[in-house]
Amino acid sequence: MIVWINGAFGAGKTSAARELVDLIPNSTFYDPELIGAGLRYLLPQKRLAEVTDFQDLPIWRRLVVDTAAALLAEVSGVLVVPMTLLRQEYRDEIFGGLASRRIPVRHVLLSPEETILRKRIADRVEFADDPEHSERIRQWAYEHIEPYRAALGWLTRDAHTIDTSALTPHETAERMADAVRTGAATACEIVQTPEPTAETVAAGVLLFDEHGRVLLVDPTYKPGWEFPGGVVEAGEAPARAGIREVAEEIGIHLDRVPKLLVIDWEAPEPPGYGGLRMLFDGGLLPRADAERLLLPGSELRGWRFVTEEEAATMLPPTRYERLRWALRARERSTVLNLEAGVPVG
């Protein structure tokens, strides 16, 4: 399990986290800031110059998840993680990646009054022998108060909030420990599909708009975009599984059985088991239906119609190759139907 302590820069997350480790048995302190510091030595300066915050680096977000999983495999128990996350899509990606590894997250928000927050920032001295560096850090914290305010809407809905205005770090830690122990800080509602024990069969469905663009969805629980679809259940026909998954994921009920376009074998790659992957042709999704499309917030955070070229930048390489083969198969099927005089619907 992870206790993720969120809040504004300067809210006292790290001090409270170190106290919390003493209150939760078998817990370990994990600071993702160290990953950002390490990337300064690993990445070329040209790449580092492209971002102003290491959280904007996809490699940082991946390594945060991978390192957490590796730590828990090594020490087990609970990880206490003090880290500000103000962008909901980054929270989704990181917590979703943890969920896909069966690691539950208790999300806690430390939220002092702004006047208290500003005073705490003003009193911080990070580097006693380098006043200029300390001042830069204080300015960084001040500049992020407004983004923190803007994020409070989703943060307070997502996390268990503790007003720390009048609390010491130890008192804050006691409140967090109590919230975890009593269940007041519940596990985040990120989708966690049943863990496979062998190869799986998965069915994806391609849906198109009037311009021939294909629909992609953005899952919270794994990196990269995906096609609507999912794992075929025992005794279920793959095409029917595709119909069911489309209805469950985006609220669209297909009125006909989709045609099979591609069958691919995904080799096992631990911790994944691999298996058969199928793509079906779901046909045209009219604009009116697309406007009624619904997403389950705990599983999908977005959808888009994209061209094949755009899909190349959004899909992981293996999924993109499947799409390319599926589109070619669909084109051949359309040509053959036209040559045979069969109406194309």
Side-chain angles (χ1 to χ4, degrees), residues 52-184:
T52 57
D53 187 336
F54 55 72
Q55 292 194 10
D56 295 330
L57 294 166
I59 188 175
W60 179 82
R61 303 192 296 274
R62 287 196 297 270
L63 286 175
V64 166
V65 173
D66 292 343
T67 304
L71 274 171
L72 286 172
E74 188 74 23
V75 300
S76 70
V78 177
L79 291 186
V80 176
V81 183
M83 190 73 229
T84 299
L85 287 177
L86 301 183
R87 295 184 59 168
Q88 190 172 9
E89 64 268 31
Y90 291 175
R91 172 269 189 205
D92 290 347
E93 181 179 339
I94 292 170
F95 286 17
L98 293 167
S100 71
R101 290 162 172 78
R102 309 304 187 274
I103 302 172
V105 179
R106 308 292 181 96
H107 191 190
V108 179
L109 174 67
L110 305 188
S111 183
E113 296 177 3
E114 187 172 329
T115 53
I116 302 295
L117 175 62
R118 288 183 177 275
K119 185 178 187 306
R120 289 178 182 174
I121 293 173
D123 292 342
R124 288 181 65 170
V125 179
E126 297 286 337
F127 299 92
D129 57 346
D130 191 345
E132 289 186 6
H133 194 182
S134 292
E135 179 59 25
R136 286 196 298 272
I137 292 175
R138 283 193 290 271
Q139 287 303 315
W140 169 270
Y142 285 132
E143 290 168 4
H144 283 76
I145 290 177
E146 184 54 41
Y148 165 71
R149 273 205 223 104
L152 275 175
W154 74 265
L155 278 173
T156 52
R157 290 193 302 270
D158 190 79
H160 176 74
T161 303
I162 299 175
D163 184 347
T164 62
S165 301
L167 301 180
T168 66
H170 183 74
E171 290 169 336
T172 300
E174 288 181 324
R175 296 282 184 91
M176 288 192 287
D178 185 63
V180 171
R181 183 176 59 255
T182 62

Side-chain angles (χ1 to χ4, degrees), residues 2 5 40 79 156 180 251 261 274 287 290 335 345:
I2 287 177
I5 306 172
R40 294 188 180 97
L79 291 186
T156 52
V180 171
L261 293 172
R287 181 190 297 269
V335 170

Side-chain angles (χ1 to χ4, degrees), residues 15-33:
S15 300
R18 294 192 183 282
E19 296 278 352
L20 184 60
V21 168
D22 295 330
L23 300 177
I24 297 180
N26 195 25
S27 60
T28 302
F29 182 88
Y30 166 38
D31 188 357
E33 289 271 3

Side-chain angles (χ1 to χ4, degrees), residues 313-324:
T313 66
M314 299 166 65
L315 292 171
T318 302
R319 286 178 221 159
Y320 175 63
E321 282 303 307
R322 277 187 210 124
L323 174 64
R324 289 183 65 246

